[in-house]
């Protein structure tokens, strides 16, 4: 198995575990602090993502790409220089941004979010910034060497700590008010990040090929060329992520003010936003661990192929990634669409948010493409084009949210439609940009077969849920329906030639099963 496939498989397994654990975290959070508490948490969370984006400065992708190229040349001195310069940048930024966030928190909560209770969750996220600054550099280092295991394990550890602490933390602080419980949930995330960093540092010390602290400041002083090379990738990447983070930062602000114009009270706006972003969106985002894994592995893999001018390998990797996204994302979309109500009932004890899933799920297949496509653009030194695409999508999304959510006939549904328009537009623009650079074949017949398989499997799942074992518990009915959809989906993929035996044999446990037989 190639480094690309091995790294992707490791990240897929870890990503699946992480997403499941993250979803358990969201379920426990929702059941602990309710719709209003989740709304406060989700209003503060985009600010967390924004300040993390500024602190990281797009360096994880730049580190991964540059270290992959230095590793191909066996230039270990350059690898050390990349690490030293990156750590100096991110640690310096975190030292500046952390106190700034603490000082700005009162203004953000009182003026922009229209709910002053968001102050406490905002304060709780500040200690995470220096921790994330160092962790992001180490993850980029390991990913650049196409060693995905440390990043994968660190993500799992982080989620385990969050889940372990969340129930106790929220229960302890809930009597003081829902805002304190939301802040406690944020604090649990910070402790998860801390344990993740400890693990990454341990693995780095065990596997490093040089002493990082030796001549640290001398390497910083001599790292002007390295700094410039990192910034050529990092700044456009940061621009792209910054646009997304700013759009997400302004999203709850725009939604809150738009709903106010539509006549919705602040407390109700917080609850509605919580149902959309705290209940529906995590379920829709759950399958994106596949795209994250592919995107993370694609950057060093395509960077290496690009440095060798191997255009055939670039197209092959891209076709592999997009085909995998289509087949895995297709199953996720039909399961979420068909079983939106029972899934929400099982997970949150309420069907609030199911309506948003039914509206948004069919379009999320395009969202799953976005990560791998952006990774390809970054690896091909087209991060600036990706940034422009993201900017266009963010502006259009925010405008659509404001125009629709402020209308009483749309309300919070307008926010959901705005989110859809934004990511669909960005994905289409990424596709167009990639096709200008990479000779890429688009197999329309295979996609038509795929949509046919989705429709047939979705109908079977709906029929099973509505007609089989109606007197049994909801959990059993959901499991039967999901199993029926998944099995029929895979069998039809094989029947139509969309999934081949040799591809299945590349998956370790299936290969071992075939050999055993």
């Amino acid at each position: 198995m190639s480094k690309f496939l091995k790294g992707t498989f490791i990240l897929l397994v870890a990503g699946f575990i992480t997403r499941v654990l993250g979803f358990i975290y969201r379920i426990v959070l929702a059941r602990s602090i309710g719709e209003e508490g989740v709304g406060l948490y989700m209003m503060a969370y985009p600010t967390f993502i924004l300040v993390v984006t500024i602190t990281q400065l797009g360096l994880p992708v730049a580190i991964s790409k540059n270290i992959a190229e230095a590793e191909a040349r066996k230039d270990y001195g350059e690898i050390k220089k990349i690490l030293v310069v990156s750590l100096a940048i991110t640690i310096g930024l975190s030292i500046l941004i952390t106190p700034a966030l603490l000082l700005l928190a009162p203004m953000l909560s009182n003026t922009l979010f229209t709910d002053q209770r968001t102050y406490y969750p905002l304060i709780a996220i500040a200690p995470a910034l220096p921790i994330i600054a160092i962790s992001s550099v180490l993850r980029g280092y390991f990913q650049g060497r196409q060693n995905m295991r440390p990043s994968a394990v660190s993500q799992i550890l982080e989620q385990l700590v969050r889940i372990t602490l969340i129930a106790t933390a929220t229960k302890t602080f809930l009597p003081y008010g829902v805002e304190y419980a939301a802040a406690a949930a944020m604090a649990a995330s910070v402790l998860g990040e801390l344990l993740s960093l400890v693990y990454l540092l341990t693995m780095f010390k065990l596997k490093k090929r040089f002493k990082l602290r030796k001549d640290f400041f001398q390497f910083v002083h001599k790292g002007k060329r390295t700094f410039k090379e990192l910034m050529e990738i990092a700044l456009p990447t940061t621009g792209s992520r910054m646009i997304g983070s700013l759009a997400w930062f302004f999203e709850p602000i725009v939604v809150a003010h738009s709903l106010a114009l539509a006549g919705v009270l602040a407390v109700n706006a917080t609850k509605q936003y919580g149902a959309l972003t705290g209940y529906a969106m995590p379920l829709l985002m759950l399958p994106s661990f596949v795209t994250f894994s592919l995107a993370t592995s694609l950057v060093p893999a395509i960077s290496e192929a690009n440095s060798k001018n191997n255009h055939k390998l670039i197209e092959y990797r891209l076709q592999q990634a997009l085909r995998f996204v289509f087949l895995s994302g297709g199953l996720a979309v039909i399961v979420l669409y068909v079983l939106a109500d029972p899934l929400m009932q099982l997970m949150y004890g309420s069907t609030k948010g199911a309506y948003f899933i039914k509206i948004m799920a069919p379009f999320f297949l395009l969202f799953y493409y976005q990560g791998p496509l952006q990774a390809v653009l970054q690896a091909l030194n087209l991060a600036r084009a990706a940034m422009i695409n993201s900017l266009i999508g963010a502006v259009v999304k925010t405008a659509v949210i404001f125009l629709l959510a402020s209308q009483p006939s749309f309300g919070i549904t307008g926010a959901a439609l705005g989110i859809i328009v934004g990511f669909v537009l960005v994905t289409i623009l990424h596709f167009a940009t990639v096709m200008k650079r990479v000779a890429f074949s688009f197999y329309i017949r295979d996609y038509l077969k795929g949509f046919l398989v989705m429709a047939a499997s979705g109908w079977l799942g709906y029929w099973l849920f509505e007609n089989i074992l109606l007197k049994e518990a909801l959990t059993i009915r959901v499991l039967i329906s999901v199993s029926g959809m998944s099995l029929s989906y895979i069998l039809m993929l094989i029947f139509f030639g969309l999934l081949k035996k040799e591809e299945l044999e590349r998956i370790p446990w299936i290969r071992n099963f075939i050999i055993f037989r």
Side-chain angles (χ1 to χ4, degrees):
M1 189 182 286
S2 67
K3 277 187 176 181
F4 170 69
L5 287 175
K6 184 179 178 181
T8 302
F9 182 75
I10 289 170
L11 287 173
L12 274 174
V13 174
F16 175 74
I17 295 170
T18 303
R19 289 285 174 169
V20 170
L21 291 174
F23 206 73
I24 292 171
Y25 171 80
R26 291 295 179 92
I27 293 169
V28 175
L29 179 66
R31 290 179 177 269
S32 300
I33 61 178
E35 191 179 350
E36 189 175 355
V38 171
L40 289 172
Y41 179 92
M42 291 308 300
M43 280 187 165
Y45 194 73
T47 304
F48 173 61
I49 297 300
L50 175 61
V51 293
V52 165
T53 301
I54 297 170
T55 303
Q56 290 181 339
L57 203 65
L59 282 169
V61 173
I63 294 165
S64 175
K65 181 181 184 300
N66 288 12
I67 283 183
E69 293 171 354
E71 185 86 7
R73 300 191 305 267
K74 300 191 183 299
D75 188 350
Y76 301 115
E78 181 63 22
I79 291 174
K80 179 176 178 179
K81 200 177 291 184
I82 291 167
L83 272 175
V84 168
V85 172
S86 301
L87 284 169
I89 295 168
T90 54
I91 292 172
L93 285 171
S94 68
I95 291 171
L96 292 173
I97 294 168
T98 302
L101 177 61
L102 294 171
L103 291 171
L104 290 173
M107 185 203 64
L108 290 172
S109 58
N110 290 323
T111 307
L112 295 181
F113 292 118
T114 70
D115 193 329
Q116 60 184 8
R117 294 175 300 171
T118 55
Y119 170 78
Y120 300 99
L122 287 171
I123 290 295
I125 63 180
L129 297 181
I131 299 168
I132 293 171
I134 301 171
S135 296
S136 63
V137 173
L138 294 177
R139 286 196 177 104
Y141 165 77
F142 285 116
Q143 288 161 8
R145 295 188 59 195
Q146 298 194 49
N147 178 9
M148 305 301 174
R149 188 172 283 109
S151 294
V153 175
S154 68
Q155 291 167 20
I156 294 171
L157 286 173
E158 178 190 336
Q159 292 290 1
L160 286 172
V161 172
R162 293 173 73 191
I163 291 170
T164 303
L165 294 176
I166 183 65
T168 305
T170 53
K171 186 178 180 180
T172 302
F173 286 92
L174 190 57
Y176 300 99
V178 72
E179 61 271 33
Y180 291 99
M186 285 288 189
S189 299
V190 175
L191 292 173
E193 291 282 359
L194 180 59
L195 183 63
S196 173
L197 174 59
V198 170
Y199 171 78
L200 286 170
L201 285 170
T202 303
M203 294 304 298
F204 177 75
K205 287 183 178 180
L206 292 174
K207 295 184 178 292
K208 67 181 179 180
R209 298 176 179 177
F210 45 78
K211 292 182 179 180
L212 186 63
R213 285 180 293 181
K214 186 178 180 181
D215 300 323
F216 183 92
F217 293 103
Q218 186 178 346
F219 270 82
V220 171
H221 181 70
K222 293 181 178 180
K224 291 181 180 179
R225 180 183 58 81
T226 302
F227 175 80
K228 183 180 178 182
E229 290 175 352
L230 286 169
M231 289 301 104
E232 285 176 356
I233 303 298
L235 290 178
T237 302
T238 299
S240 187
R241 291 187 176 178
M242 181 69 71
I243 289 163
S245 299
L246 280 170
W248 198 13
F249 170 74
F250 283 113
E251 184 182 297
I253 298 169
V254 173
V255 169
H257 285 277
S258 298
L259 291 178
L261 290 173
V264 180
L265 295 175
V267 173
N268 291 332
T270 301
K271 288 182 179 180
Q272 290 178 12
Y273 190 71
L276 172 59
T277 59
Y279 286 17
M281 288 295 288
L283 192 57
L284 290 163
M285 296 287 286
L286 183 61
S288 63
F289 73 89
V290 175
T291 64
F292 173 79
S293 306
L294 287 167
T296 305
S297 298
L298 273 171
V299 172
I302 289 185
S303 296
E304 186 177 355
N306 191 43
S307 67
K308 297 175 181 178
N309 292 317
N310 192 340
H311 300 292
K312 286 186 178 179
L313 182 58
I314 292 172
E315 185 193 359
Y316 179 68
R317 293 290 186 229
L318 179 59
Q319 288 281 15
Q320 270 186 317
L322 297 186
R323 196 158 159 273
F324 194 24
V325 168
F326 179 69
L327 297 181
S328 58
L331 178 59
V333 165
I334 60 172
V335 169
L336 291 172
Y337 183 82
V338 171
L339 299 175
D341 284 289
L343 284 172
M344 295 296 285
Q345 184 64 44
L346 282 175
M347 292 172 180
Y348 300 117
S350 167
T351 56
K352 289 179 179 178
Y355 167 71
F356 299 119
I357 291 176
K358 289 181 179 178
I359 294 174
M360 302 174 80
F363 299 95
F364 253 77
L365 187 58
L366 286 171
F367 174 80
Y368 302 143
Y369 276 107
Q370 196 174 119
L373 287 171
Q374 183 153 320
V376 171
L377 291 174
Q378 290 164 348
L380 294 175
N381 297 319
L382 293 172
R384 192 183 303 275
M387 179 184 71
I388 294 170
N389 294 344
S390 299
L391 175 61
I392 295 169
V395 170
V396 172
K397 180 188 84 167
T398 306
V400 172
I401 288 176
F402 181 76
L403 289 172
L404 296 183
S406 59
Q407 303 298 317
S409 56
F410 281 98
I412 193 66
T413 304
L417 293 174
I419 292 169
I420 292 169
V421 169
F423 69 68
V424 168
L425 180 58
V426 172
T427 301
I428 292 171
L429 291 172
H430 281 355
F431 255 123
T433 309
V434 168
M435 290 178 73
K436 288 180 182 178
R437 181 69 178 268
V438 180
F440 183 73
S441 300
F442 197 75
Y443 300 104
I444 296 175
R445 186 178 297 177
D446 285 349
Y447 280 93
L448 291 175
K449 289 178 182 178
F451 286 122
L452 178 62
V453 170
M454 289 179 209
S457 299
W459 177 85
L460 176 63
Y462 176 78
W463 185 87
L464 288 172
F465 183 78
E466 293 294 331
N467 294 280
I468 301 297
L469 300 175
L470 295 179
K471 294 182 180 179
E472 295 296 328
L474 185 61
T475 305
I476 294 173
R477 291 172 62 199
V478 168
L479 287 174
I480 290 172
S481 181
V482 171
S483 300
M485 276 190 278
S486 302
L487 183 60
S488 63
Y489 187 80
I490 293 169
L491 290 175
M492 282 190 279
L493 289 181
I494 296 170
F495 176 78
F496 283 111
L498 297 173
L499 192 61
K500 298 175 179 61
K501 181 183 176 183
E502 56 268 25
E503 292 175 329
L504 289 171
E505 288 177 353
R506 289 181 182 177
I507 301 174
W509 66 269
I510 292 180
R511 182 176 66 245
N512 295 336
F513 175 74
I514 293 171
I515 293 170
F516 178 75
R517 289 192 65 187

